[in-house]
Amino acid sequence: MTEDNGRQYYLNHLYDRLYALRHDVLSDGLDLFKTWRPYIYRKTFLYSALNLAFYLALRSRDLQDLQSNLLSLGLSSLGRSEARTIVNLDAVMASLGRICGKSDQELIDYPPQKMFFHGEKLLRHNTSALFGGSQGEPYTHIMVTLPTEAADDYTLIDDLIRSGMNTARINCAHDDKEIWQRMIDNVRRAAAENRRPCKIYMDLSGPKIRIDEILIKGLDTKLFIGDTVFLAAHSIDSYPADYAGDIVITCKIPEIFKTLKIGDPVLIDEGKVQGRISEITPQGAYIRLTYARPTGSKLKNQKSLNFPETPLPISPLTEKDLDDLDFIAARANLVGYSFVKSAADVRLLQQELQKRRGDDARKIGIIAKVETKESVQHLPEIIVQVASSHPFGVMIARGDLAVEVGYHRLSELQEEILWICEAAHVPVIWATQVLENMVKTGLPSRAEITDAAMGERAECVMLNKGPYIVEAVTSLGDILRRMESHMYKKAPRLKALHIAMNALSSRSFKK
C-alpha cells in the first residue's frame, strides 16, 4: 500500500467512525428525549432538552482517541459540543467528508451558522430571564448574600447595586420575615433609584444537619485521632453507662439513625473533624475519629454534621421551609432549593409553589443547589423536571459538595456540572468562598483571584457577606469584564494579546 493509499484508508476509516458515532448519538439521544417529552410544558425548553439528550449520549462514550485523530487534521476535537452537540458533529463530518473526497451524494451539508450559535443564544436568553440584565452589561452576573444590617442600612444596598450587584440573596436560615421584608424594600428602592434591575433570590434553609447539644463529661475538651464521640439518638443524657469518652452530642435530625450503619463516614464542622461509625447501640452511635487537628479539635454547638454515604430518609422541605415559602412565593423572583437529590424532590417544591401561586408559580425561577453525590448523579433528570415548567438555574454549592464528595473530586465534578448545564442551556451560579479573604479583610489572596476569574465560565458568581463586600463586588466586576474578553466558557477568544503585539513591535532580543 502506497503512502497516499494508506492516508486515504486512514481518512475513510476515521469518517466511518464518525458516521457510526453520529448514528448512535442520534439514536440513543432520541430514545432518551422521548422519555422526557411528555413532561415538557415549556416549548422553549424542547430544543434544549433534545440537545442535552444528544450530549449525554455523546459523553457516554470514550472519545479521546477520536479527538486526537481529528485534531491532527485541524478539525474540531468535539471538545466544544456542549451547547450544539449534533450541529457540531455535522460540521466536523461535513469538513472531513470533503477532505476524504466523498461524492456529493455522501457528503453532509454544513449546518446553518445561526444553528451553530443557537444554543449560546438560548443560554443567554435563559440567563436574562433568571438574573435580568441588559445589553452592554457583563455576561456573568453578581449575586451577593445580604447581611442582617442590610435591613436598616439603605446606603449599603445602594452601594452594592451601584458597584454591580444584580441579584440580592436572602438566606432564610438567618433572620426573620420582618428583616427580610426590610431588605427587599431597600433593594427595590435602590434598584429603582439607580435604574439598575436587581432580582430577589431567597434560599430555603432545608434540612441541614447540625449538632444540637453537646455534653462534656470530662475535663479534656479537645479531640484527637483515635478518640471517640458518642452521637446520642434521643437526649443528651442518653448514652451507654460504659461509655468512656468525654464528648456526647445530639443532632437536629434524629431520622438519620434509621439508615446509619457501621463504617459510615461522619464529617463534623465542614470536615474539620472526621470519623466513622464504629458501633451502633439502642442509645445511639459511636464515632471513632480518623481526622482532627494535630493540636486537637474542639466541637461547638450548631456546627454541621455530614453523612456522605448514608441515605437520609427525610424530605428536602422542612416545616420551616413550607412556612417561609408563603413569604417567598409572594415576593421573590427566585427560590433556592437546598439538598435536592432527585426529580421527585423538585416536584415537591413545584407542587407547593402551585398551591400558593397557581399558574403564576411558573414565573418563579427555581435554583437547584447541587451539594450532594445524589444531586450530581441525578442532575439531568433534575434539569428536565424543573426547566420543563420553570425558569431554572443550578448553583454549584462548592462548600457542601466538597464535604460530601471529597475535596479531591470537587474540581472534576465542578467541570461536569458546568458542561451538562451548558448542554441544557441552563445558567450556573458559581458559589462558596469566592473572594472570601477580600470580603473579610479587604485584601484578596492570589489564589482566590484566580478562582474568581474561573467564575467567568458560569452565568453568575455569588459573594458572601462581609465588611468589605462593596469593594469585593467592584473587584469581581472588573475581573469578570477582563476575563470575558479572553474566554467564553472553556473556549478562548483570540483577541490580540498585548504580549504578542509588544513582541512583534519591538523585534529585538538582547543577550
Side-chain angles (χ1 to χ4, degrees), residues 206-223:
K208 184 80 171 178
I209 305 179
R210 297 185 182 275
I211 296 174
D212 194 25
E213 294 180 281
I214 296 179
L215 173 65
I216 300 174
K217 293 173 55 189
L219 298 175
D220 191 358
T221 61
K222 286 189 175 182
L223 293 166

Side-chain angles (χ1 to χ4, degrees), residues 395-399 414 429-434 460-463:
M395 177 184 285
I396 308 178
R398 298 185 299 169
Q414 187 172 264
I429 301 169
W430 185 273
T432 313
Q433 295 181 323
V434 179
C460 181
V461 178
M462 189 187 92
L463 295 176

